[in-house]
Structures are given as structure tokens and as C-alpha cells.
């Protein structure tokens, strides 16, 4: 058989093992180690550190009387954890933790333990495995360990920190053109982090800039329905890969088109009532006209095809 040296576990299969008896095992020239009674046909022995290669197995009733079994086991190098990241996650769980190390094997049974909660580990390569971060009710720090066949392997002394899950409560403005490129501010809680993203339904993540623990901003992507499409989609955020526990709605409006305006001239003192004609003008209290590429003057919605606003002075 094949087992892991230096702290690995070997199961001895036999018969007439008795509960309450102090059994022991010895691998090759290593020291005798206590065996654990599992059943009348099974004992479990831990391999002493420093052993490798093909070694014989001796079994007996105590450390002084061990008998050769005629069995042998091939001991491979023990798995070792070198690094664990990230060591911070949201209380809702769901993130992925990566464990890097050495001597991981495809047939090993690996488990990650967060405090007293176990999750299955997924082997990615012979030096990398991943595990999902479980849910916890309250923020705080918990111990972390990797188990191979229920035995803790050599690893750095690390802990995992649970932090509050981000949440959002509003967005301004609440709508924008279907073409995208609207700068929006998202409001909520626990929004600070080294990196963040806005998540609009059916669109790739958009980089976000945290402004404070209660706000961040990002630019809307184009509507998934196209430049002439509209409708409401869900907006959530991710802070250092922690998904917000809440989401808000953002509405795409079909692209508006300006066809003409009247009058086409006015006095330099301003005050001329200007009517703009076009299509897809949606009723809103936030309509405005921009003059000279900079100045925005509040406007008045008249219909789906016209709005009005007064010209500023020419200065």
C-alpha cells in the first residue's frame, strides 16, 4: 500500500483485535507507536516523522512485544502547507480560500477547518488546493487548519478573520441611458476595501472606487438589451470579493435623440425660453440643458418629444 510519511496514518487490517488492549505498530527501523483500536478487524497507526520509502510493518500488544506481519507500506513525503490566502472573508461565506504547499496527492482526502466548521477541500494541483469559506453568524477571528485523512498536517499558525458583509441601500442617479457611461454613487455600509466592483445584472463586473465606508462610485456599462433597450436591472457590489448582502435597482432608459430646437438664437443677456424637440424624452424632475459643454440649466419636461429650458447669459 501507499501512505504518507511523517505524521500520516496507516490502517492495519486483520482479525481478532480486542477493545481495551494497548496495541502498537512499528514501521521499518522507526520507533514503536501506539495503535488505535477501530474494530475487531482494524487498527490505526500514525507514521513517525522522518520515514520514507518501502518499510515493513510490525504489530504487537505493547511496545515490547512486536511481531513481524510480513506486510510493507510505501511511505511518501508528508503534505505540508506553506501559505494560506486570503485570510479575511465576509460573514456570509461563499468565498474561496487558497492553500499552497507541497506533496499534495490526487487521492488524498483533504478538509479545511474554520474554527469548528469543516468544509471539503478541492485539489487543484500537487501544490494547491482550495476550499469554500463557510457562513458564520458574527464577525470575528477563528482558527484555521488543513486535515489530511482527519489528521492535521504541518502548516503555518494562521487564523481566519470574518468581517461584516457589505450592504447597499441606494444609488444616485437611479437611471441612465442604455448606452451606459453614467457615473453613479452607491450608498450603503462596509464599502471600504483595497478593491471593489459594481455588479450589474448580465454585465461583467465594473471597477468601483470606494469613497468611504458608506459610499463608492462606478460607471455603468451598456444595457444588456442594447443602446435602444430599457428596463430595470439589479445592482450589487463586491468588496474584496465579498458580495453585498443587499442590492438595489438601476433603470436603463432608451437613448434620447435631439432633432431640433427653437428659437435658434437669443439675447446675450439670457432668459430666452428654448424648446428642444426630439424623441424618448422621459418624464423626470432632473431634466437639464447643457450650454457650451459645461453649464447645465434645469429644464422642464413637456412631452416625450419636447422639453423647455431658459438660456443662460453669454458670460
Amino acid at each position: 500500500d501507499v501512505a504518507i510519511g511523517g505524521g500520516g496514518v496507516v490502517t492495519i487490517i486483520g482479525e481478532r483485535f480486542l477493545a481495551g488492549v494497548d496495541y502498537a505498530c512499528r514501521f521499518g527501523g522507526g520507533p514503536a507507536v501506539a495503535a488505535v483500536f477501530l474494530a475487531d478487524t482494524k487498527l490505526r497507526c500514525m507514521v513517525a516523522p522522518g520515514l520514507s520509502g518501502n518499510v515493513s510493518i510490525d504489530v504487537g500488544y505493547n511496545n515490547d512485544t512486536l511481531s513481524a506481519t510480513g506486510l510493507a507500506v510505501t511511505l511518501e513525503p508528508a503534505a505540508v502547507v506553506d501559505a494560506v490566502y486570503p485570510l479575511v472573508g465576509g460573514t456570509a461565506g461563499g468565498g474561496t480560500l487558497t492553500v499552497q504547499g507541497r506533496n499534495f496527492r490526487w487521492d488524498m482526502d483533504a478538509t479545511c477547518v474554520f474554527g469548528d466548521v469543516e468544509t471539503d477541500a478541492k485539489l487543484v494541483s500537487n501544490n494547491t488546493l482550495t476550499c469554500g469559506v463557510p457562513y458564520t453568524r458574527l464577525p470575528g477571528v477563528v482558527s484555521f487548519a488543513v486535515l489530511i485523512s482527519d489528521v492535521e498536517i504541518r502548516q503555518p499558525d494562521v487564523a481566519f478573520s470574518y468581517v461584516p458583509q457589505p450592504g447597499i441601500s441606494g444609488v444616485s442617479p437611479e437611471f441612465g441611458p442604455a448606452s451606459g457611461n453614467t457615473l453613479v454613487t452607491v450608498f450603503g455600509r462596509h464599502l471600504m476595501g483595497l478593491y471593489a466592483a459594481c455588479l450589474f445584472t448580465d454585465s461583467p463586473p465594473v471597477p468601483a472606487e470606494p469613497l468611504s465606508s458608506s459610499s463608492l462610485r462606478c460607471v455603468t456599462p451598456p444595457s444588456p438589451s442594447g443602446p435602444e433597450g430599457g428596463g430595470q436591472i439589479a445592482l450589487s457590489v463586491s468588496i474584496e470579493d465579498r458580495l453585498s448582502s443587499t442590492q438595489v435597482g438601476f433603470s436603463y432608459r432608451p437613448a434620447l435623440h435631439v432633432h431640433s430646437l427653437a428659437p435658434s438664437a437669443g439675447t446675450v443677456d439670457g432668459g430666452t425660453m428654448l424648446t428642444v424637440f426630439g424623441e424618448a424624452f422621459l418624464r423626470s424632475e432632473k431634466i437639464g440643458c447643457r450650454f457650451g459643454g459645461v453649464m447645465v440649466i434645469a429644464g422642464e419636461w413637456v412631452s416625450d418629444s419636447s422639453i423647455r429650458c431658459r438660456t443662460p447669459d453669454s458670460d
Side-chain angles (χ1 to χ4, degrees):
D1 201 356
V2 177
I4 302 300
V9 172
V10 172
T11 300
I12 307 297
I13 308 297
E15 58 186 27
R16 295 195 295 274
F17 296 141
L18 302 174
V21 175
D22 293 330
Y23 291 101
C25 302
R26 182 170 54 228
F27 297 90
V33 294
V36 177
F37 174 84
L38 299 178
D40 60 357
T41 59
K42 291 182 180 180
L43 298 177
R44 186 172 65 189
C45 300
M46 180 170 290
V47 181
L51 296 177
S52 62
N54 188 266
V55 298
S56 61
I57 304 174
D58 299 335
V59 178
Y61 289 109
N62 54 58
N63 291 352
D64 298 324
T65 56
L66 299 178
S67 302
T69 62
L71 302 174
V73 63
T74 299
L75 299 178
E76 295 188 347
V80 176
V81 172
D82 295 320
V84 180
Y85 60 90
L87 290 174
V88 177
T91 53
T96 299
L97 184 142
T98 299
V99 178
Q100 291 189 325
R102 291 163 280 157
N103 308 322
F104 296 161
R105 295 169 52 213
W106 293 105
D107 60 345
M108 72 181 190
D109 181 18
T111 305
C112 293
V113 185
F114 297 78
D116 56 2
V117 179
E118 296 187 2
T119 63
D120 292 336
K122 178 183 178 181
L123 189 64
V124 178
S125 69
N126 61 359
N127 60 13
T128 304
L129 58 84
T130 60
C131 46
V133 178
Y135 160 86
T136 190
R137 191 169 63 89
L138 297 173
V141 179
V142 299
S143 60
F144 175 80
V146 176
L147 305 184
I148 304 295
S149 299
D150 297 325
V151 177
E152 185 172 338
I153 63 175
R154 185 158 59 92
Q155 56 198 288
D157 183 15
V158 297
F160 186 84
S161 297
Y162 280 103
V163 296
Q165 205 72 18
I168 58 176
S169 55
V171 59
S172 178
E174 298 177 345
F175 60 87
S179 57
N181 205 36
T182 300
L183 180 64
V184 297
T185 301
V186 181
F187 303 98
R189 62 186 186 279
H190 310 306
L191 300 183
M192 285 299 292
L194 295 177
Y195 55 93
C198 289
L199 308 175
F200 295 83
T201 302
D202 297 329
S203 295
V206 176
E209 177 189 4
L211 303 175
S212 68
S213 63
S214 59
S215 66
L216 58 76
R217 62 187 178 190
C218 59
V219 175
T220 63
S223 168
S225 302
E228 300 301 326
Q232 187 175 77
I233 51 89
L235 166 62
S236 57
V237 300
S238 173
I239 307 296
E240 295 179 353
D241 298 325
R242 301 189 302 275
L243 185 65
S244 59
S245 58
T246 53
Q247 57 186 23
V248 296
F250 179 83
S251 296
Y252 281 112
R253 304 289 176 86
L256 59 83
H257 299 278
V258 174
H259 298 319
S260 62
L261 53 85
S264 59
T267 65
V268 295
D269 296 330
T272 301
M273 181 61 73
L274 186 69
T275 301
V276 181
F277 301 96
E279 57 184 279
F281 295 163
L282 299 179
R283 188 166 192 166
S284 171
E285 296 179 356
K286 298 180 179 180
I287 289 176
C289 297
R290 184 184 312 165
F291 294 84
V294 177
M295 184 177 297
V296 177
I297 301 298
E300 176 188 4
W301 182 85
V302 178
S303 69
D304 292 345
S305 59
S306 64
I307 61 173
R308 293 186 303 196
C309 52
R310 292 189 181 276
T311 61
D313 61 53
S314 61
D315 294 336

